[in-house]
Amino acid sequence: MPDQRDPAPYDALLLLSFGGPEGPDDVVPFLENVTRGRGIPKERLKEVGQHYFLFGGVSPINEQNRALLDALRKDFAEHGLDGLPVYWGNRNWAPYLVDTLREMAADGRRRVAVLATSAYASYSGCRQYRENLAEALATLEAEGTRPPRVDKLRHYFNHPGFVRPMVDGVLKSLAELDESVRAGAHLAFTTHSIPTASADTSGPAGEHGDGGAYVAEHLDVARLIAEAVREETGVAHPWQLVYQSRSGAPHTPWLEPDICDHLEERHAAGVPAVVMVPIGFVSDHMEVLYDLDTEATAKAAELGLPVRRSATVGADPRFAAAVRELLLERAATERGFVVERCALGALGASHDLCPVGCCPARSPKPAAAGADSPYA
């Protein structure tokens, strides 16, 4: 049996996230980073940035990542992994990924496990992170720095440490509803809408098709949560997977229905209340804060429909423990052990190494931490 506290061959964990602005002057430069190469005018970015300006130009995501870092370090220390450092790098804002990898190289880190703050398979939720890793590693090599090897930890959408906190969030939200509407409350499981073409090609090639792995994984998590709520309350709440935060051109098909349209439809059908459950998001960042807490909540108030929004996982200690388990599971596998891989639901544990053809981009780029990686 493998040592359950041995992280070898890894000598560090990298928390890899999206990033967000931390003040009004950051908003447009941040959006320029996010949309680089798309030719979007600065004036248009200022319009898009109004969501951030409503909250002082500050996205909560960086502060939430700091809280997660603290939770990870605390959990590691309590379980004999206090010698394993945890770093943090972002794709689109400071601390930038390339700067963090420079720091790791300077610190002598040679092999790094990477946790992305995206739990599901998709181009934007997985392969784009891997492309950013490859780009940063190439930059270090061009500078004459030997980069560390990076291995991305598997998708954790169905890990109990990710699912159970969301179950508790739904139970809490249901308890906050008036008793007269609680039993009939509808559960609207929300995630980020993406182009249907991207959804259809998400995951390994064998899982491509209508909605691909992206939709299948979210549906599996929604079923898990709804069933757990039924077991604990004795009520089988109706539910549906819906989408939010669409940002593409109107003529491009994206996953539907939108949460606001869904609220209107459920209200018209006579549903007495709705709990919005943001299963597609690790933390309460801007797309939760604005699209659900502001826009969708305003739509519900307009309709006279009671709503609650359940919590995301954030820095829940159970999620921190899940990250430790994922790290040690992968470490033992890399050392040649066959280990039990913890996963709930019908889909089982996700792959460690993204295969060729997994979540392809329109314009292929080198991607690290996959079967087609130029960095082994």
Side-chain angles (χ1 to χ4, degrees):
M1 292 291 292
D3 185 339
Q4 296 301 309
R5 294 184 297 176
D6 185 0
Y10 300 112
D11 55 17
L13 174 71
L14 169 62
L15 176 65
L16 176 56
S17 193
F18 192 82
E22 299 198 83
D25 293 341
D26 297 345
V27 172
V28 172
F30 162 73
L31 292 173
E32 287 175 333
N33 288 340
V34 174
T35 61
R36 181 165 286 115
R38 301 183 201 174
I40 299 177
K42 182 171 288 189
E43 290 306 311
R44 174 57 182 153
L45 294 179
K46 289 180 181 178
E47 294 176 17
V48 173
Q50 290 305 310
H51 295 179
Y52 292 96
F53 293 128
L54 286 174
F55 299 92
V58 179
S59 167
I61 192 171
N62 280 353
E63 191 57 39
Q64 289 162 3
N65 279 325
R66 294 184 186 102
L68 180 56
L69 283 171
D70 289 343
L72 290 171
R73 289 164 178 157
K74 181 176 186 291
D75 179 88
F76 283 13
E78 291 173 348
H79 292 85
L81 294 177
D82 46 318
L84 187 78
V86 184
Y87 295 78
W88 168 36
N90 289 326
R91 291 172 46 199
N92 298 298
W93 201 249
Y96 287 104
L97 171 60
V98 67
D99 294 332
T100 301
L101 285 172
R102 283 195 193 98
E103 178 187 358
M104 298 178 88
D107 290 346
R109 308 304 169 197
R110 300 306 326 139
R111 190 160 180 188
V112 176
V114 179
L115 176 79
T117 55
S118 176
Y120 301 85
S122 70
Y123 171 73
S124 57
C126 183
R127 186 176 177 88
Q128 195 168 16
Y129 282 83
R130 294 174 48 226
E131 290 177 355
N132 293 148
L133 280 166
E135 183 180 12
L137 295 172
T139 297
L140 264 61
E141 284 189 336
E143 295 170 350
T145 299
R146 180 186 174 191
R149 173 174 168 174
V150 296
D151 291 337
K152 182 178 176 291
L153 297 178
R154 66 177 172 91
H155 299 303
Y156 47 85
F157 63 92
N158 56 3
H159 193 288
F162 185 67
V163 174
R164 185 64 219 187
M166 293 190 289
V167 172
D168 290 346
V170 174
L171 293 170
K172 182 175 183 294
S173 292
L174 285 168
E176 291 172 353
L177 288 170
D178 188 273
E179 189 174 356
S180 64
V181 299
R182 187 181 304 151
H186 172 84
L187 307 181
F189 294 99
T190 77
T191 190
H192 204 302
S193 183
I194 61 174
T196 56
S198 293
D200 293 347
T201 56
S202 58
E207 298 175 27
H208 292 179
D210 186 15
Y214 186 74
V215 171
E217 290 169 1
H218 281 87
L219 285 172
D220 205 40
V221 172
R223 289 188 193 99
L224 284 167
I225 295 173
E227 180 59 21
V229 169
R230 186 197 63 77
E231 290 178 357
E232 299 207 18
T233 65
V235 178
H237 290 272
W239 63 269
Q240 186 172 337
L241 177 64
V242 301
Y243 303 93
Q244 62 175 91
S245 312
R246 175 184 172 140
S247 59
H251 64 273
T252 303
W254 282 54
L255 293 173
E256 296 177 337
D258 175 78
I259 178 62
C260 288
D261 295 337
H262 183 65
L263 291 175
E264 288 186 338
E265 187 271 334
R266 290 291 81 206
H267 177 256
V271 165
V274 173
V275 173
M276 300 181 291
V277 191
I279 60 172
F281 305 92
V282 172
S283 65
D284 289 4
H285 55 65
M286 185 57 70
E287 286 162 321
V288 175
L289 196 65
Y290 181 80
D291 296 330
L292 294 183
D293 293 355
T294 304
E295 192 173 47
T297 300
K299 171 58 71 175
E302 173 190 320
L303 297 168
L305 177 66
V307 294
R308 293 293 184 274
R309 196 269 293 172
S310 67
T312 53
V313 172
D316 190 291
R318 291 168 292 184
F319 181 48
V323 174
R324 168 174 44 84
E325 292 170 8
L326 290 167
L327 169 68
L328 293 175
E329 168 201 288
R330 180 66 181 274
T333 299
E334 293 295 319
R335 297 197 308 273
F337 290 97
V338 176
V339 296
E340 183 177 354
R341 298 159 65 81
C342 195
L344 301 173
L347 299 181
S350 189
H351 49 263
D352 281 335
L353 200 65
C354 291
V356 176
C358 192
C359 303
R362 292 181 182 176
S363 302
K365 297 179 182 178
D372 55 355
S373 172
Y375 301 95

